[in-house]
Amino acid sequence: MTAEFHIKSRTGGYPALLGPGLLDQAGAILAGRTIPLKAAVISDQTVAALYLERLSASLTNAGFEVHAIIVPPGEKSKSFARLEEVCRELLKNRLDKEDVVIALGGGMVGDLAGLAASLTRRGLRLVMAPTTLLAQADSSIGGKTAINTPEGKNLVGAIYAPMLVLADISTLATLPRRELSAGYAEVIKHAVLAGDEHFSYLEKSTDAFFAGDEKTLVETITRSIKVKAGIVECDEFERDRRLLLNLGHTFGHAFEAAAAYDETLLHGEAVAAGLCMAFEFASFDGHDVIRDFGRLRALLEKAGLPITLEGASIKAKGQDLLAFMRHDKKIRGGLIRLIVPRGFGDIYTKEITDPEILEQFFQALNI
Ligand SMILES: NC(=O)c1ccc[n+]([C@@H]2O[C@H](COP(=O)([O-])OP(=O)(O)OC[C@H]3O[C@@H](n4cnc5c(N)ncnc54)[C@H](O)[C@@H]3O)[C@@H](O)[C@H]2O)c1
């Protein structure tokens, strides 16, 4: 039950494969696309303990010489220090342009390993092997890589397309339920962008998805990849259309900043509450969103995601949120650009020239 897509990019594009058991086939799949020389697998300790042996065995059987570079799990590994360490390990292991770097893990590993691959020897070949829902349905597609600095999240990075994405859905079986739900927030965001038919599919399939039904996992993630790829292919370098993917994120990033990026609030949970606030804003901006907003809240709740600030344990006031929003990296020319849903598949961009509008909005919400 493997699905295959081709994602277009400036450098010619890359295939994405999605299905159960792909890690065991990784060596054979890669050997069919490149001469099996060296493969450096970059992973975090948690994922490596679960899946490194299987991936290494598959690569070794196909003739690759395997090197493993393991970093601690968590956002803290997306740092300059860790990036330097990874790049130097790649150099010490003498990886060159014919070799491959394999990012085995969630979005954190993908971002760190992707950036290291893009910088080392001015670009080593990169394979994404995502193991979280967020990474399979979202972050491994589109070529964005980044690390964090004290100035903010993901502010140092590159857009660097992989040669292949290998998403083994069997790995989702070991993902903690809270992480699965957090990834599902991005899946829901894609459905809000795509329209009613996509959203209705999620409403009908959520139970089967969380029960781990393979067919539903493949269909749900396939739909997400198609939405993301469709947008990224039109605007790889985020000049305009790619900003749509920021739906729920301008508020969400402010919530994450208010929670000081600690583990009390996962990115996907911030996105869930951010999606709700984007609908609240649409209502404040004069649109009738009652029906779709109600359906959104019901689906988020069913997936175990927060729909309010209290639900996400965020105590920040409107003024604090506004200050964080002004520092968001997506702000251009001093304007806060909100992506606002009038309904499913009906999205508009609102440029906030006067921050007072947001002050009034937060006041209307009593925050
Ligand atoms: N590049 C992009 O386009 C993009 C898009 C969205 C998010 N991101 C980035 O992605 C990161 C978040 O990614 P994430 O949510 O995947 O988090 P993550 O990579 O930190 O993984 C979450 C946790 O799950 C564990 N884990 C991963 N796979 C597992 C598995 N199969 N079984 C058990 N445990 C597993 C990890 O060790 C970690 O503790 C953030 O750094 C964010 O900035 C990047």
Side-chain angles (χ1 to χ4, degrees):
M1 199 196 291
T2 302
E4 178 162 359
F5 324 89
H6 184 82
I7 319 287
K8 288 187 220 130
S9 84
R10 180 191 51 150
T11 45
Y14 48 96
L17 304 184
L18 172 77
L22 285 179
L23 284 185
D24 302 308
Q25 302 163 37
I29 293 169
L30 260 178
R33 291 163 202 259
T34 178
I35 308 161
L37 296 164
K38 284 183 192 166
V41 180
I42 303 176
S43 194
D44 72 31
Q45 286 149 351
T46 309
V47 179
L50 291 163
Y51 299 112
L52 181 59
E53 212 174 292
R54 267 174 58 193
L55 177 59
S56 296
S58 153
L59 291 165
T60 309
N61 287 341
F64 286 92
E65 176 188 318
V66 182
H67 299 270
I69 303 172
I70 312 299
V71 301
E75 274 300 296
K76 286 205 172 69
S77 282
K78 278 175 57 174
S79 67
F80 264 119
R82 205 58 78 183
L83 176 68
E84 178 183 351
E85 200 181 291
V86 172
C87 291
R88 293 191 60 198
E89 278 301 313
L90 292 171
L91 293 172
K92 279 187 217 155
N93 288 318
R94 298 190 186 286
L95 264 85
D96 71 25
K97 302 249 175 207
E98 297 302 312
D99 301 320
V100 285
V101 172
I102 304 179
L104 173 69
M108 183 283 284
V109 166
D111 275 7
L112 175 69
L115 187 55
S118 81
L119 293 171
T120 307
R121 294 188 186 273
R122 297 198 185 89
L124 296 174
R125 290 202 279 178
L126 172 67
V127 173
M128 289 291 193
T131 63
T132 62
L133 176 59
L134 180 133
Q136 295 186 356
D138 189 343
S139 65
S140 65
I141 306 295
K144 272 197 188 176
T145 72
I147 54 166
N148 306 324
T149 66
E151 288 71 27
K153 270 191 77 176
N154 297 327
L155 293 180
V156 173
I159 293 189
Y160 188 68
M163 63 172 279
L164 175 68
V165 179
L166 267 184
D168 184 340
I169 58 159
S170 318
T171 59
L172 299 181
T174 54
L175 194 64
R177 166 66 203 231
R178 191 174 163 209
E179 295 285 353
L180 195 65
S181 288
Y184 202 74
E186 301 283 2
V187 167
I188 293 177
K189 178 195 79 177
H190 290 142
V192 174
L193 289 172
D196 197 75
E197 191 275 330
H198 191 152
F199 199 90
S200 300
Y201 171 77
L202 294 188
E203 288 175 317
K204 280 182 249 148
S205 62
T206 327
D207 290 335
F209 181 88
F210 283 100
D213 175 62
E214 261 181 20
K215 195 163 162 273
T216 311
L217 290 174
V218 171
E219 171 73 18
T220 303
I221 301 170
T222 294
R223 281 172 175 263
S224 259
I225 292 177
K226 284 187 176 160
V227 174
K228 175 132 189 204
I231 291 174
V232 166
E233 283 173 354
C234 300
D235 179 26
E236 194 174 0
F237 292 94
E238 203 171 55
R239 296 204 170 88
D240 41 56
R241 211 172 145 66
R242 194 166 179 163
L243 288 170
L244 284 179
L245 293 168
N246 218 26
L247 175 65
H249 282 63
T250 310
F251 291 118
H253 287 152
F255 303 159
E256 283 184 279
Y261 300 106
D262 67 14
E263 246 109 88
T264 56
L265 183 69
L266 299 180
H267 174 71
E269 294 166 345
V271 169
L275 280 173
C276 289
M277 197 158 273
F279 265 98
E280 294 277 14
F281 187 85
S283 170
F284 173 81
D285 208 27
H287 302 286
D288 177 6
V289 295
I290 290 176
R291 196 170 158 269
D292 285 355
F293 188 16
R295 286 171 68 191
L296 172 76
R297 281 189 303 235
L299 186 58
L300 289 169
E301 284 198 303
K302 203 169 174 191
L305 287 160
I307 58 168
T308 59
L309 288 188
E310 303 82 69
S313 305
I314 298 158
K315 293 182 186 70
K317 293 272 156 230
Q319 285 296 341
D320 308 321
L321 295 176
L322 187 53
F324 290 127
M325 287 171 82
R326 283 177 148 156
H327 284 101
D328 194 282
K329 69 178 182 303
K330 298 278 161 66
I331 286 179
R332 290 182 186 173
L335 290 180
I336 296 175
R337 211 175 285 185
L338 286 180
I339 310 298
V340 193
R342 278 187 210 95
F344 302 147
D346 183 8
I347 315 292
Y348 66 103
T349 305
K350 178 95 179 179
E351 295 198 335
I352 309 285
T353 41
D354 180 1
E356 208 172 295
I357 294 173
L358 283 172
E359 280 173 27
Q360 287 166 8
F361 169 59
F362 289 131
Q363 272 164 20
L365 294 179
N366 281 324
I367 52 173

